[in-house]
Structures are given as C-alpha cells and as structure tokens.
Amino acid sequence: MNQIYRQARYDVHDIFEEHCVERKIADNPLPDNIARKEAPQIPDMPEYEVIRHFTRLSQMNYGIDSGFYPLGSCTMKFNPKYSELLCRETKALDIHPYQPEDTVQGTLRIMYELQQMLAEISGMDAVTLQPAAGAHGEMTGLMIINEYHRKKGEERNEIILPDTAHGTNPASASMLGYKTIEIPSKEGCVDIKALEEAVGENTAAFMLTNPNTLGIFEKDALKIAEIIHDAGGLLYYDGANLNAIMGKTCPGKMNFDIMHFNLHKTLATPHGGGGPGSGPVAVTKDLRSYLPVPIVEKAEGKYYLEYDLENSIGRIKGFYGNWLVLLRAYAYILKEGSDGITAISERAVLNSNYLRKQLEDVLELPYGELRKHEFVLSGSSLKKKGLRTLDIAKRLLDYGYHAPTIYFPLIVDEALMIEPTETERKETLDGFVNALRAIMEEDVETVSSAPHNTAVKRVDDTQASREPILSYRMRLNKR
Ligand SMILES: Cc1ncc(COP(=O)(O)O)c(C=O)c1O
C-alpha cells in the first residue's frame, strides 16, 4: 500500500463517516414464512478440500488477475484491489435507494463529485451516471439526440458512422429506429468527402470514436464537427477510447455535443460482461435539460437528487446507476489525481506503440505508423500457410496469454486488435512478443489444432448461437 492509495482510501472513508447514517439490520432479517426451517444439506468436507476445489476451478478460467489481457477495444484492464475493498465497506453496501437524502449525503457527494470529475475529463458540462454499460450509454445519448431534434420540430432519421465504428454504435441507432449510413474510411480515418456527401437534412448525428478503433487519431475532428453542425446534426463521441487522450485533449475541445464513458475501459472498473457495468453520458450545457432524471446536484452545502429537467428523456435505469462501479471509478480518479490521469494516457499510448514496433515484422500493420492506445495487425499473409488469425489467437492461450480481439474492425482482413493498456510492464509486453514470435516458427498442425493446454479445447465458434440449449420457447414449455 503506498501513501497515495492510503490517502484515497481515507478520503472516501472520511466522506462515509461524515455523511452516512448506519442502517440497523435486525438479527434475523427474514420473515418466518421464508426463513429456512432445517439446516442446508451441504457435503461434509475438510476446509482444505473446499479451498482446493475452488482454487482448481479458478485456475481453469482466465481473468485479468491471471495474466496479460491484450483485448483491443474491449479492454480488460487492471481492477485495483483497494477499490474492491472499498466496495465491501458496510457503509457502501448497507444503503438503500429509497433512503431519505439526508441519510445518504456521503453517497450523493461521491456521485456528485464523480459527475464533476467526468465533466472535467471530457470537457463537457453535465453528466448522468445512470447508464449501465457503454452500449446503454450510446442508446441514452441517441435518445437525447432524438428528443432534441423532436423538440425543434425536426424529423431527422439518419445516423452516420464510419466503417471503423464499433458494432454497438449502429446497433444502438437501429434499436431506436434510426437508419444507419456507413461511410468508408480513407487511410484509416474518416473520408471527409464521403462524409460531406452523406450529410443532409435527415442527419440526426454522426457517431465517432477518437482515436478510432484502428488506434488512429482522427485529426480532422474539428472539420468533421463543422460539417455535421452546419447540416443541423449533432456529434456523438463514443468514449471507449478515451484512455488514449485524457489530459491531452477531450471531446469538448473537439466540439462533440454528447458522449458516453466506458468506466471499465478508462477508469479501471470491472468489465460488466453482461453484469453490472457503467456508461455515464456527458453533454454540453445546451443538452443538460434532456438528461435522464435524476441527476445529483448540490445547494446550500447539501446534495440532492434533481428531477426537474425540462426536456428529460425520463429514467433509463432503476435508481441512480451502478453505485459500486461508480465508487470504484471515483476512488481511481481520486488516487491518480489530474497528473496521474494524464500519465495513464501517456503510458497507454507508449505501451501500445512499443508493442506495435516489436510486432510489425511479425504480422502486417496496415495504415501508417504511430498509433494511440491500441493497434490492429493483419494476419492476411498467414493464409498462404493454411493458418488464420483465429489459430494464432487459440495458440496464444497455450502460452498463457489471453487472445487479442480478432476479426474486428472488419476493414482489416484477418484483424488482430491489440491493446496492452497502461498498467502492463515492459517485461510482460516482451513475454507476449516472444510468444507470438515462437508461434510463427511452429508447424501448422500444432497451431491449427490449438489450444492444447487449456481445460476446454477448441470450441465450435457458432454452435452455441445456432443451437441454443435454452430458448424462450423451451422455458415456456417447462412451466
Ligand atoms: C469502441 C467501443 N464502443 C462501444 C463499446 C460498448 O461498450 P460496452 O461493452 O460497455 O457496452 C465498446 C466495447 O467494448 C467499444 O470498444
């Protein structure tokens, strides 16, 4: 535990101490009619057997605590244990969303300050913490965009995206009934001419992540903003790659109107994986009144939930967001401070470019040289040998590394998308490079039949989706 960590922990403790009222839990909180009448039938096992069983199970899985996770775009980054400990504090856990505001002032303060911190990092003016994941943030943002145009009496039904966009962008737009228009990239960046041709009176918004999913910074961001705004549309920033630019620039400076954060990709919270994540949405002051309610505000030294937002799209999640994920992000920002936040991005970009340089003679690197926090290689040349990117990804598991993201973005043939993140050490990156180099020297049979050393061998990629074991119909039949 270093000094800063201790300080961050105590700061959060102090806030709880100062503001929280402990909730008394009765000795037996369950009513008699649902309380267990007999002791559960649990096998009688010695403690060490139980521990061995769970240790064995944990070793069959691969997680961020077991090793390097170079998963581009989806980013599994380190989940600091101090924030896990904080989340187990009774004062973080034993609160209820229906408690009166004056008994949860500490919680509200943390949420209020996190809103402010995120606004500062993004250069935007107001924030909602409600969305439960990045994709949920996208949908929230698009609902705001939709309401904004509707209030102006405009019917705009098109969302434009570059071909590097993450799949959730067009999916979120389609879910809201928008028509999506994909424009091609030129040298890995938005093709300005294609954008100019695509915009028009039906353009509701353009969605962009910067740096884009190739890890390339879209240096024409201001020009893009001008084109979209001149056409009466709004500019949406997919904040998934924000960890590449924090403290250097921000969506506000690039004239974006609205954005989401992926707290798990930028601020070291666990990746939801279908479970509780967090994708706060930030907007410019003109769009504040459209945010979902409530947001947390402060007046006369008291924190309160503000429901009075004139154009609000309403609630998009029960209560106020995934509180324990928000607490982790808050603790991380507090611990890092503003210099630390900038250093995160510097280190993420340095690690990515170090790895890129080491690997560009192993596989091809389409489009130019420098990258931001991630880069995309192409395994196209492997096809001559009868191998595919998928085989390399599987073989990496035998070497003890999680595979990078593969086959995304689609504009790169046989893509391998690598994001080392800022937290990894040079030795770890070198180990990964050595593993990839070693795999390239191996015989085709060994690689194409990998993995050999994992608990589960090669699985059928599509069977689970094509032949689901549990379907809605089956569940209905069982009733
Ligand atoms: C560029 C980009 N946008 C959006 C998302 C969606 O975020 P989430 O997985 O939190 O829904 C991701 C996911 O990893 C992403 O990489």
Side-chain angles (χ1 to χ4, degrees):
M1 271 198 318
N2 64 28
Q3 184 58 33
I4 312 172
Y5 153 64
R6 250 183 258 137
Q7 190 55 47
R9 192 144 186 247
Y10 288 135
D11 284 348
V12 180
H13 268 278
D14 291 348
I15 294 170
F16 281 137
E17 286 302 329
E18 194 183 331
H19 295 289
C20 294
V21 175
E22 259 183 283
R23 210 159 55 92
K24 297 264 175 294
I25 299 182
D27 286 345
N28 182 3
L30 293 179
D32 278 352
N33 61 338
I34 56 167
R36 193 191 287 281
K37 302 280 179 296
E38 286 165 16
Q41 301 300 305
I42 298 171
D44 192 11
M45 302 279 279
E47 180 189 270
Y48 60 86
E49 286 290 357
V50 176
I51 291 174
R52 281 177 191 166
H53 170 71
F54 284 108
T55 305
R56 253 192 320 271
L57 282 186
S58 75
Q59 287 165 348
M60 289 167 76
N61 207 346
Y62 196 94
I64 194 66
D65 288 338
S66 16
F68 183 44
Y69 226 109
L71 203 61
S73 189
C74 289
T75 321
M76 296 292 274
K77 67 165 64 185
F78 117 111
N79 297 157
K81 296 296 166 261
Y82 63 79
S83 54
E84 297 301 321
L85 290 174
L86 269 178
C87 290
R88 285 168 180 69
E89 298 283 337
T90 49
K91 282 177 178 165
L93 289 174
D94 292 347
I95 48 175
H96 193 279
Y98 283 140
Q99 265 178 254
E101 283 171 8
D102 59 356
T103 66
V104 282
Q105 283 291 300
T107 308
L108 292 178
R109 174 176 161 187
I110 288 171
M111 286 164 67
Y112 176 80
E113 290 183 356
L114 181 60
Q115 286 175 186
Q116 288 193 313
M117 290 164 170
L118 295 179
E120 192 176 328
I121 291 172
S122 61
M124 308 300 271
D125 298 307
V127 174
T128 170
L129 302 174
Q130 276 186 41
H136 194 198
E138 288 167 23
M139 210 178 93
T140 307
L142 289 166
M143 285 168 77
I144 291 174
I145 289 170
N146 187 44
E147 188 59 11
Y148 169 81
H149 290 306
R150 203 183 64 81
K151 280 267 152 57
K152 281 175 66 183
E154 293 180 347
E155 277 186 31
R156 293 172 175 261
N157 63 348
E158 290 175 0
I159 299 289
I160 309 177
L161 316 112
D163 55 3
T164 49
H166 191 261
T168 49
N169 292 186
S172 302
S174 302
M175 274 180 73
L176 292 176
Y178 279 112
K179 179 176 162 203
T180 56
I181 300 179
E182 186 182 281
I183 55 165
S185 300
K186 195 172 166 195
E187 294 302 313
C189 285
V190 172
D191 181 342
I192 297 293
K193 197 157 169 294
L195 179 63
E196 279 169 338
E197 279 163 17
V199 291
E201 58 184 20
N202 290 329
T203 305
F206 181 57
M207 296 178 87
L208 181 67
T209 181
N210 197 12
N212 63 29
T213 58
L214 291 167
I216 302 176
F217 189 78
E218 299 271 359
K219 54 186 181 324
D220 290 329
L222 289 175
K223 178 72 189 159
I224 291 170
E226 194 185 309
I227 295 169
I228 299 301
H229 289 151
D230 283 353
L234 294 174
L235 196 56
Y236 185 95
Y237 183 86
D238 174 338
N241 296 339
L242 193 70
N243 63 328
I245 59 166
M246 286 188 300
K248 301 287 178 188
T249 185
C250 59
K253 282 190 185 159
M254 294 183 240
N255 289 344
F256 281 86
D257 302 291
I258 187 161
M259 66 164 291
H260 77 262
F261 296 81
N262 299 60
L263 293 190
H264 48 277
K265 300 181 69 162
T266 313
L267 299 165
T269 64
H271 202 139
S278 186
V281 166
V283 294
T284 57
K285 57 179 179 323
D286 293 346
L287 294 174
R288 179 182 173 276
S289 65
Y290 292 85
L291 286 175
V293 283
I295 54 173
V296 187
E297 287 291 3
K298 183 182 179 187
E300 295 167 11
K302 289 266 179 202
Y303 301 91
Y304 66 97
L305 295 167
E306 173 65 273
Y307 286 86
D308 189 17
L309 295 183
E310 195 188 341
N311 302 309
S312 176
I313 57 165
R315 252 184 205 287
I316 48 91
K317 184 181 182 307
F319 304 114
Y320 322 112
N322 280 323
W323 153 239
L324 293 176
V325 183
L326 301 172
L327 178 59
R328 287 173 171 97
Y330 176 82
Y332 189 62
I333 300 175
L334 210 63
K335 175 179 171 296
E336 292 300 326
S338 63
D339 288 349
I341 292 288
T342 309
I344 286 172
S345 291
E346 288 170 351
R347 184 88 188 256
V349 173
L350 181 65
N351 273 357
S352 157
N353 280 291
Y354 176 74
L355 211 49
R356 170 191 60 79
K357 192 77 198 149
Q358 301 298 315
L359 291 176
E360 63 191 12
D361 64 331
V362 179
L363 291 163
E364 294 144 66
L365 176 82
Y367 314 113
E369 274 246 317
L370 274 177
R371 291 290 187 274
K372 290 291 177 200
H373 64 304
E374 66 191 357
F375 58 97
V376 181
L377 297 172
S378 167
S380 204
S381 59
L382 297 169
K383 286 192 220 158
K384 309 195 275 288
K385 284 207 244 174
L387 285 175
R388 302 193 60 203
T389 288
L390 176 72
D391 303 316
I392 307 297
K394 298 287 185 197
R395 184 66 177 140
L396 272 168
L397 304 177
D398 286 334
Y399 281 77
Y401 294 98
H402 193 278
T405 300
I406 51 174
Y407 300 106
F408 176 72
L410 294 174
I411 61 167
V412 173
D413 186 38
E414 294 289 319
L416 233 103
M417 184 189 212
I418 301 176
E419 175 169 1
T421 81
E422 64 276 6
T423 43
E424 297 299 341
R425 299 179 314 139
K426 178 175 174 296
E427 289 74 7
T428 307
L429 306 185
D430 289 339
F432 179 68
V433 171
N434 291 341
L436 263 177
R437 284 190 183 280
I439 292 170
M440 294 302 155
E441 300 298 317
E442 289 180 327
D443 64 278
V444 171
E445 173 51 27
T446 307
V447 180
S448 62
S449 53
H452 306 282
N453 310 327
T454 50
V456 177
K457 303 289 176 273
R458 193 172 286 218
V459 289
D460 187 314
D461 285 329
T462 51
Q463 191 188 359
S465 358
R466 296 211 170 120
E467 296 164 36
I469 297 168
L470 183 68
S471 72
Y472 184 56
R473 184 181 294 270
M474 281 174 69
R475 266 188 280 139
L476 279 183
N477 289 345
K478 278 216 155 169
R479 273 195 200 146

